[in-house]
Amino acid sequence: MEVPSYVWTLTVIGIVGLLAFDFFFHVRKAHTPSLKESAVWSALYVGIALLFGLGVLLFGGPTMGTEYFAGYITEKALSVDNLFVFLIIMASFRVPRADQQKVLLFGIVFSLIARTAFIFLGAALINSFAWVFYIFGLILLITAGNLLKPDSHDDDSDGLVVRLAKKLLPASEHYDGDKLFTVQDGKRVLTPMLLVMVAIGGTDILFALDSIPAIFGLTQNVFIVFTATAFSLMGLRQLFFLIDGLLDRLIFLSYGLAVILGFIGVKLILHALHENTLPFINDGEHVNVVEVSTGVSLSVILGVLVVTVLASIFSPKGKAKNAVSGARRHAVEYLDLNYETDMNERDKIFAAMCREEDQIRKLPEKYKRLIRNETEFMDLLRSAHAEHDKAQVRAAAEGSPPPHVVRPFCVLGAQKRHLALPSSGARLFVGACC
């Protein structure tokens, strides 16, 4: 079905308007969004995408509607997977929490521009060369294989784009708010904020090479491909802050996406065989093969995602990873605090880390053994405990009463020790991770 030009115009204006609204009313002023704010705006953007899909279903018919929802769900799942990489990149550059919104919005805008270019390029290739479906299918099968690797989200090493950004664009060691340039020793230099945006942008291009063939495997309608991709990216910033504590819990997401991309890859190759014009395959004639309908595709995608999420949430390994990632995140957050940070704020973050240490302590022994072997993680917890000890001593020396008694558990089940506070004589229990 041919989409009128005025529909295209109104759709593009609406998407640009949403991005502008997001920037001026949420991102322009650096802050860390609350859980409530993230939940409300994530739900709003998903609601807008669903309403748009109902409009497509109503005015475009059941085929277009089903194609839109299948494409939207697939692209949304791939976008959530991309958040893992964004999280790793921002951790690598130690982006301040309050400035992460701006980095994410830049990533979304750049991703939308890059994917739009790939969409029209892909559509032009498909219209001219039917054999492009073979290439798209092969790309998805290779991507599915890569997702099955155990280190597909390895956060212990920087990706190629991050390494190139750090090597080719030397910058100052410290951030200057959200500025891209700063003055250091009388010279104008780049800040890490610009580097992280370059790294995010370069990574987005790599993501587009996977996601665009995936959605073309579900529909060749350019309007559906564009809108499903655009709406899957909208609200991704809010979703990041909503589920960033749950990302590591989705331990089987990569396997689920591998199944989905592999399925779509096979579907594309079957379609390529059906439309075959290559002379060395069946003498250039079409091959009689079974083609998978969009309805079946939508059912498979939803089914795989539901099984993946449920398996991740209820598995013991998922619970273990969630506790470890939470403790690591709060330990890093604590160690990044300023010397002048209010003791109440310090105590709040420290208590959250201790609760997660308590969860780790209750894990089955086989998981605790693995955690003990993570030297960097254990050192991070020890540093956070040591820093909290010092902060309590400073607070006591300055005459500030401790907010409350903290009794954290040590991951290794070590003995608790008493810390005498010289000014008040009070004794606090402080966990000793050793």
Side-chain angles (χ1 to χ4, degrees):
M1 176 181 173
E2 190 70 25
V3 178
S5 57
Y6 73 88
V7 175
W8 268 101
T9 303
L10 291 175
T11 302
V12 171
I13 290 174
I15 291 170
V16 172
L18 285 172
L19 289 171
F21 176 84
D22 209 14
F23 175 77
F24 286 106
F25 290 92
H26 292 104
V27 176
R28 195 173 186 180
K29 183 179 179 182
H31 73 286
T32 301
S34 65
L35 187 65
K36 180 180 178 182
E37 178 186 341
S38 300
V40 168
W41 285 101
S42 293
L44 181 63
Y45 279 113
V46 170
I48 291 173
L50 295 179
L51 284 175
F52 185 86
L54 291 176
V56 173
L57 188 66
L58 180 64
F59 295 104
T63 300
M64 282 186 68
T66 307
E67 289 176 348
Y68 169 83
F69 283 112
Y72 172 75
I73 293 169
T74 300
E75 291 296 308
K76 197 70 173 179
L78 289 170
S79 296
V80 171
D81 188 59
N82 294 350
L83 288 180
F84 279 102
V85 182
F86 288 168
L87 186 63
I88 292 168
I89 290 174
M90 287 193 286
S92 174
F93 285 96
R94 300 180 71 83
V95 180
R97 184 77 169 167
D99 293 322
Q100 289 179 0
Q101 287 200 101
K102 191 161 290 186
V103 173
L104 286 168
L105 185 61
F106 168 82
I108 290 168
V109 172
F110 188 90
S111 182
L112 185 56
I113 294 171
R115 294 183 192 204
T116 300
F118 278 110
I119 286 169
F120 285 101
L121 176 61
L125 290 172
I126 287 170
N127 289 334
S128 303
F129 312 104
W131 51 262
V132 169
F133 285 112
Y134 287 113
I135 297 177
F136 282 2
L138 185 61
I139 289 173
L140 293 184
L141 291 176
I142 293 172
T143 303
N146 288 333
L147 285 173
L148 293 175
K149 294 179 180 178
D151 60 347
S152 60
H153 289 306
D154 184 7
D155 58 355
D156 293 327
S157 59
D158 292 336
L160 175 63
V161 176
V162 174
R163 292 198 302 272
L164 287 175
K166 289 180 175 179
K167 184 176 181 179
L168 300 179
L169 298 171
S172 63
E173 294 184 3
H174 304 290
Y175 287 86
D176 186 4
D178 58 3
K179 295 179 181 178
L180 303 182
F181 298 90
T182 189
V183 177
Q184 184 174 285
D185 297 328
K187 296 180 180 179
R188 187 176 174 82
V189 296
L190 307 177
T191 69
M193 181 62 73
L194 181 59
L195 292 193
V196 71
M197 287 186 173
V198 170
I200 291 281
T203 306
D204 275 329
I205 294 176
L206 298 180
F207 289 156
L209 294 175
D210 299 334
S211 68
I212 297 308
I215 194 168
F216 269 118
L218 299 169
T219 177
Q220 284 82 59
N221 186 311
V222 178
F223 181 77
I224 297 299
V225 172
F226 172 75
T227 52
T229 300
F231 282 113
S232 72
L233 294 171
M234 305 299 292
L236 197 61
R237 175 184 62 80
Q238 293 86 349
L239 188 63
F240 174 86
F241 288 96
L242 180 64
I243 69 170
D244 108 37
L246 300 177
L247 282 175
D248 283 346
R249 185 84 176 264
L250 300 176
I251 58 173
F252 297 122
L253 180 61
S254 291
Y255 299 107
L257 290 175
V259 172
I260 291 172
L261 293 181
F263 169 78
I264 297 175
V266 171
K267 183 177 184 289
L268 273 172
I269 291 175
L270 289 174
H271 182 72
L273 289 169
H274 187 268
E275 302 290 329
N276 180 62
T277 56
L278 295 178
F280 53 86
I281 298 178
N282 199 33
D283 295 327
E285 297 296 324
H286 302 337
V287 181
N288 250 341
V289 293
V290 176
E291 286 211 81
V292 183
S293 68
T294 307
V296 172
S297 299
L298 180 58
S299 301
V300 170
I301 292 165
L302 285 173
V304 170
L305 287 176
V306 168
V307 171
T308 298
V309 172
L310 291 178
S312 297
I313 290 175
F314 294 107
S315 71
K317 187 177 179 182
K319 294 176 182 177
K321 286 208 68 172
N322 190 46
V324 170
S325 65
R328 178 184 285 113
R329 186 174 66 257
H330 284 117
V332 170
E333 187 178 358
Y334 190 91
L335 292 171
D336 283 344
L337 295 175
N338 299 341
Y339 178 85
E340 297 87 2
T341 301
D342 182 71
M343 193 62 200
N344 287 318
E345 179 64 20
R346 284 183 172 276
D347 201 67
K348 181 180 176 182
I349 297 170
F350 186 74
M353 184 187 77
C354 292
R355 284 194 298 270
E356 283 139 359
E357 287 187 67
D358 187 24
Q359 293 172 14
I360 295 172
R361 186 182 65 87
K362 295 175 181 177
L363 291 173
E365 185 59 31
K366 65 177 182 179
Y367 293 120
K368 285 197 285 190
R369 279 199 303 269
L370 293 175
I371 293 166
R372 290 192 194 103
N373 292 332
E374 291 189 19
T375 307
E376 185 181 346
F377 172 63
M378 297 306 301
D379 288 344
L380 186 66
L381 291 184
R382 291 190 189 99
S383 298
H385 277 276
E387 184 62 31
H388 192 63
D389 289 358
K390 295 176 185 176
Q392 288 181 313
V393 171
R394 286 197 303 268
E398 293 167 2
S400 303
H404 62 267
V405 177
V406 179
R407 292 183 173 85
F409 290 99
C410 174
V411 171
L412 297 183
Q415 295 290 328
K416 298 182 180 68
R417 58 188 168 84
H418 289 83
L419 175 67
L421 301 180
S423 63
S424 63
R427 299 171 74 83
L428 296 180
F429 286 105
V430 181
C433 287
C434 49

